[in-house]
Structures are given as C-alpha cells and as structure tokens.
C-alpha cells in the first residue's frame, strides 16, 4: 500500500524518516499527524522509533540501513546511539561510521541484498557496509549523479530511479540489484526520489503532492497492491515448498 504523508509543511518524507523491513525511524518533533500515518500502517508489524541524529531531524539523509543493520554518522551523540540501540529489535546491528561523506542516506542506497554507494566512499566504509548490512556493495552513479541515495529508492521487490536515467544505465543497475527498475518521479515531478519517499517490501510513503499516476507507478514497481507482511510470508512459504517438493 502506498500512502501520502507530510512532515510539517514538507513533502520530503525521505528526509525525515527511514523505513526498512524490521524498523521505521521518524524524526522527533514533527506534527503528530506525520507519526500517526506511519504508526497506523506499520506499528503492528515493525517498531516506529522517534530519533534525532546529531540534534537534527534530517535522519533519513544521515542514516542508511536495511533489516539487518543501521549505519549512523560519526556526529551521532552517545545518548542518541543508546536510545536507538535500546529501541531497535535485537537482531538489528547498529554501527557509527567515521566517513568524510557523512550524509550516509545520500551516498548509500540499499535493500537487504545489495548496496549502491557513492564512487568516492572510503574503502573502510565499504567494508563496514558489507559487514553490518550483509550486502554486496557496488560503486555506482544514477543518471550521472554521484548521490545514489538521493536519486533512487530500493526495496527487495523493485526500484524507482531518477527520470533521466538512460535505458542502458537502468539495465546495468537492474542486473546488479537483481530487481526490476523504472525511471520516475514523486511529489509532482520531483526527481529527488530518495528524499521524496520511503519504501519497504509491503508499504511506501511519499509526499502529499505525489500525483495518483506517480503513486500507481510506485505501487506497481514495488509490487505493493497485495503486499502486506502475511502475503509476503505466504509467498516465501509457497516458494520454499516448490523448491523442496
């Protein structure tokens, strides 16, 4: 299910929240309305955690993560780190990273299996990403933009990329990620996909200005029409039974 939301007066849902298959982070201090949209969709499945990073609310741009782990920048205070650690599920690893490109959400785009990263990211950071998130890491650009996290949104079902991504680039990225990709926009024509929406395997949240056409593209590429956690588990079970029968 794809839902529209708004943080105070901003459409940039992906700036103020981070969504994975095992947790959801939202920025502290926004309107109650913003939280309630997330909580009504997610709260019976994954925890919705209110956090700040380095005292700021732009948590979606400063953090990167998937269901296995969460990466936070070096500027995160000990108190914030402890709060996040206490709130996350036991199975999720959290790691503070010393990295020059400290807006990790802008320079890392990942799902539960593959991460695309900024070409200039430290070698050490690349190893930490592979280790903590349990993913294969590829240095890539999206439509010649180095900020891969800003210009695409990924889940394990599909991906939405910058509208000017060439067909060759889409094919290359799609074969790296092993999921279908489509070029598109959110928030009535915004090409900053990562900042404009968040998505996991059964739900997506985009800015309030997102048109119904954009929303239907999101629902079809991320396969959200009949996606709720029980349907996904059922599908996994079916495929396992097929494999072993």
């Amino acid at each position: 299910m794809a839902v529209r939301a708004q943080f105070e007066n901003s459409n940039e849902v992906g700036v103020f929240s981070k969504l994975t298959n095992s947790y959801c982070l939202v920025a502290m201090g926004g309107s109650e309305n913003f939280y309630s949209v997330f909580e009504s969709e997610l709260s019976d499945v994954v925890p919705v955690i209110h956090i700040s990073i380095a005292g700021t609310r732009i948590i979606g741009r400063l953090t990167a993560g998937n269901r296995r782990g969460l990466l936070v920048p070096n500027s995160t205070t000990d108190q914030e780190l402890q709060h996040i650690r206490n709130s996350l599920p036991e199975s999720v690893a959290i790691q503070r990273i010393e990295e020059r490109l400290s807006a990790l959400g802008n320079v890392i785009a990942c799902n539960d299996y593959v991460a695309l990263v900024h070409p200039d990211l430290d070698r050490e950071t690349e190893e930490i990403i592979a280790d903590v998130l349990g993913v294969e890491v590829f240095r890539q650009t999206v439509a010649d933009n180095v900020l891969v996290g800003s210009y695409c949104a990924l889940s394990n079902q599909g991906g939405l990329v910058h509208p000017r991504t060439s067909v060759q680039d889409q094919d290359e990225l799609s074969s790296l990620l092993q999921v279908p990709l489509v070029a598109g926009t959110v928030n009535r024509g915004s090409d900053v996909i990562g900042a404009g929406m968040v998505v996991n395997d059964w739900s997506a949240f985009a800015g309030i200005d997102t048109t119904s056409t954009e929303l239907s593209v999101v629902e079809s590429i991320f396969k959200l029409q009949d996606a709720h956690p029980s349907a996904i588990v059922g599908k996994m079970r079916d495929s396992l039974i097929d494999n072993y029968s």
Side-chain angles (χ1 to χ4, degrees), residues 130-213:
D131 195 34
V132 175
L133 302 184
V135 292
E136 279 189 88
V137 181
F138 298 103
R139 292 171 186 265
Q140 277 293 336
T141 58
V142 174
D144 297 330
N145 290 297
V146 287
L147 296 178
V148 287
S150 302
Y151 290 104
C152 73
L154 302 175
S155 78
N156 300 328
Q157 311 290 329
L160 188 63
V161 295
H162 188 290
R164 293 223 171 90
T165 312
S166 68
V167 176
Q168 286 102 315
D169 281 2
Q170 282 180 53
D171 289 346
E172 186 184 339
L173 292 171
S174 186
S175 66
L176 286 178
L177 294 162
Q178 296 292 301
V179 295
L181 293 183
V182 70
T185 58
V186 290
N187 294 332
R188 199 166 299 197
S190 165
D191 53 15
V192 193
I193 311 286
M197 68 171 290
V198 289
V199 63
N200 69 8
D201 284 356
W202 64 88
S203 56
F205 300 86
I208 210 119
D209 283 352
T210 304
T211 64
S212 54
T213 311

Side-chain angles (χ1 to χ4, degrees), residues 28 51-59 62-63 72-81 84 96 102:
M28 280 178 176
I51 69 161
S52 63
I53 298 284
T56 68
R57 302 194 295 184
I58 53 170
I59 59 160
L62 297 180
T63 62
V72 296
N74 202 34
S75 52
T76 311
T77 66
D78 293 346
Q79 206 176 352
E80 288 167 340
L81 198 65
I84 298 167
R96 191 157 44 179
S102 62

Side-chain angles (χ1 to χ4, degrees), residues 14-92:
V15 172
F16 303 104
S17 61
K18 171 69 66 191
L19 178 61
T20 72
N21 288 335
S22 58
Y23 57 87
C24 174
L25 309 177
V26 290
M28 280 178 176
S31 62
E32 210 41 56
N33 193 12
F34 183 67
Y35 305 133
S36 61
V37 171
F38 280 87
E39 281 167 357
S40 63
E41 283 290 313
L42 301 169
S43 61
D44 51 343
V45 188
V46 298
V48 179
I49 305 161
H50 299 212
I51 69 161
S52 63
I53 298 284
T56 68
R57 302 194 295 184
I58 53 170
I59 59 160
R61 299 299 85 212
L62 297 180
T63 62
N66 63 13
R67 71 180 164 87
R68 292 187 199 88
L70 175 67
L71 306 173
V72 296
N74 202 34
S75 52
T76 311
T77 66
D78 293 346
Q79 206 176 352
E80 288 167 340
L81 198 65
Q82 195 58 50
H83 165 62
I84 298 167
R85 197 169 264 141
N86 293 342
S87 308
L88 284 177
E90 293 279 292
S91 58
V92 178

